[in-house]
Structure formats: C-alpha cells, structure tokens
Amino acid sequence: MKTNSLILAAVLGTLALSSGTLLAQRGMGRGMGGGMGGGMGGGMGMGGVQVPADNPITPEKVELGKQLYFDGRLAKDGTISCNSCHNLKAGGADNKAVSTGVGGAQGTRNSPTVWNSAFHNAQFWDGRAPSLEEQAKGPLVNPIEMAMPNLDAVVARVKAIPEYVSQFEKVFGKNSLNIDNIAKAIATYERTLISTNSKFDNFRFADKNALNSEERAGFQAFRQVGCMECHMGPDFSGPPPLARGAGFYQKFPRFPDSPLVANYKLLEDGGRYSVTKQENDRHVYRVPTLRNVKETAPYFHNGSVATLEKTVRVCSTSWFWCGC
C-alpha cells in the first residue's frame, strides 16, 4: 500500500515549516531568565512555560544549569554530559538510533529532543518522569547512560569542585548543594531551550499570507489525513495545558499488521507498559513534538526510521492504515 506522492510531499513540506529559531543556541538562553516567571513566553502562539513554584527561574540559576548540562564530570568516567545525547547543535538529540553511554553502552530508545521539552508535563518516551527536575536525575545513575553508582556519588562529585560549591551558595543558599538542587538547576536551563517564530507560527498566529499556496495545501493535507489527531497544540505534541505529570499518550502502532511495523521492529518495545504494567499501556508512548523535526532524525521510539519521508509512510499505514 503506497502513500500518494502528492500528499506525502505536502505533509513533508508542512513538517519542515515547524522549524523555528533556537533561542538559547543563538545566545538568548543565558539572559532570558529575569522576567520569565510562571508565564515564560515561547513565542507566537506557544503560550507560557509552566515554571514550578519551588523552582523559579533566575539568570544565575540558568547559568549554573547550563554549566552542569555540558559538564562530563557528572558521568562515571567523565566522558558523557547531558549534551552528549541531547546535543543543542543537533536539534537537541544526537542523530543516532539509540544513544551511546559510558563505556560504549547502547541504550534501547531514541534520544528525544530537549528543545521545547519545557512544554511537556511528562518526560521520556514512556512518561515516567513527571517533570524536568525528575527527568534530570534519571540519566545520571542509569548504568547505560552516565552510570554514576548512585545520586549521592553525583553530589560528592559536584561538591569536589569548589567553583560549583560557590555557585550553589549564590543561587540556592548555604549548604544547598544536593541532588534536588542539581536537578533544579539543569531543569531551569532546559526551560530556556525554546524554538519559536517558525514560518508556520507566523502563518497560524500572525500573518495568514505567510505561507505560499503549496505550503497551505500541505497544511490542509496534514489535517485531512489525520496527523493532527496526535500532533496538535502549539508544540505539535498534544493539547495544552495538562496537569503536572499528565502526558499526552497514543498507542503506536495502531495497526500492527502493517508490513512496515515488522520491518522497523516497532513492537519490540512495550512502551508505557514498562512503567505502569497495565496491559492497555502496551505500545503506548508520549506523543513527541514535531518542532524542528527535520533536524532530529532518525525517528520513532527506537530510532529505526532514517528519514521523514519514510516516517510519513510508516504513519500512513501503521497508524491510519489508509494508504493515502
């Protein structure tokens, strides 16, 4: 069952329109903190990033979190940082099927982009972390990621660096260097990683003439074939706002008999079932954002699909079984 080439081209064109300006990458992340508060803007139509009351954003905390984000010393052997798997210059991912951790260990899931992760109220493909703060702790002690033996060892490693001790006192107060505040600093920096002002944003929220006729036809096809059943909302990842920890999930694939499902081994991962142990959560995943999607290949939870064209073909059969 082949995807109609005209509709395929139209949908691909629409996905390309979702790429926006990467604010922190262009130097804005460092200075955005002062006036953000609970309604930190994400650009035209993006709404506000919800900032936890117990972790307000300040420029000093953003800078501390940025240093921790890029610091390989948080890993067991000093070789892996947050940026290793969520490279800000590679769309916030690493452009590998699965990431490589300490000692060359291989993960089992594709690294999701960190850009715009502040708009997700549940983190990881299976939604097991209810916040960016909780997500930040996981890779530190994951044996196939940064592989520290425990969170106390992470704290001890950071405390051994005098510059960090001084910075934590300035940001959080005396005797404040603990794992919760390490995670808060990293999460605060990640909340500044927002892409905005894409061509699609300009069309949707400001200038109806921003798209040419071919691009408008692509958006119409994107809606008609059902892409927006999952990829809705300002971040193309679900309806906002959701309660803390409440991710927007969908079963994938919906039609497992598609030959492409077997070809790309899409049923080998249990998805959210690994967290809840509920049978109805088997092969259920948090819907990923489509912002900057052309920069974050390969695709799907296992990184098995190399190009956007193939990704759209897989969705057209394994999700809708429409062959459109």
Side-chain angles (χ1 to χ4, degrees), residues 72 74-81 84-85 99-107 139-140 142-148 157:
L74 273 65
K76 181 179 179 180
D77 65 356
T79 64
I80 303 294
S81 70
S84 298
C85 299
S99 297
T100 301
V102 166
Q106 295 288 297
L140 297 170
N142 188 311
I144 60 174
E145 295 184 56
M146 299 170 81
M148 290 294 277
R157 178 75 61 86

Side-chain angles (χ1 to χ4, degrees), residues 146-223:
M146 299 170 81
M148 290 294 277
N150 52 58
L151 293 174
D152 288 340
V154 177
V155 174
R157 178 75 61 86
V158 178
K159 278 186 175 181
I161 304 169
E163 293 81 4
Y164 273 142
V165 175
S166 175
Q167 283 182 277
F168 270 87
E169 286 190 359
K170 290 178 180 178
V171 172
F172 293 103
K174 283 188 175 291
N175 302 315
S176 61
L177 208 169
N178 56 49
I179 194 60
D180 288 335
N181 287 338
I182 289 173
K184 284 181 177 181
I186 295 172
T188 296
Y189 174 61
E190 291 176 340
R191 288 194 175 95
T192 71
L193 302 177
I194 306 298
S195 67
T196 186
N197 296 333
S198 69
K199 193 172 184 180
F200 179 82
D201 289 331
N202 195 30
F203 162 73
R204 190 76 182 271
F205 305 112
D207 181 7
K208 294 303 181 184
N209 296 315
L211 303 187
N212 60 36
S213 58
E214 183 178 352
E215 290 166 341
R216 286 196 297 271
F219 178 50
Q220 185 68 15
F222 185 82
R223 292 190 296 179

Side-chain angles (χ1 to χ4, degrees), residues 19 26 46 49 54 102 126 135 168 198 222 229 245 282 284:
S19 291
R26 295 174 183 265
M46 288 288 283
V49 170
D54 65 348
V102 166
D126 54 25
Q135 185 280 329
F168 270 87
S198 69
F222 185 82
E229 184 174 339
R282 192 178 293 277
V284 168

Side-chain angles (χ1 to χ4, degrees), residues 14 30 32 43 66 75 80 115 120 146 153 237 249 278 285 311:
T14 298
R30 178 171 179 167
M32 287 176 64
K66 180 179 180 180
I80 303 294
W115 285 103
H120 306 318
M146 299 170 81
S237 62
Y249 302 98
Q278 299 294 314
Y285 300 91
T311 298

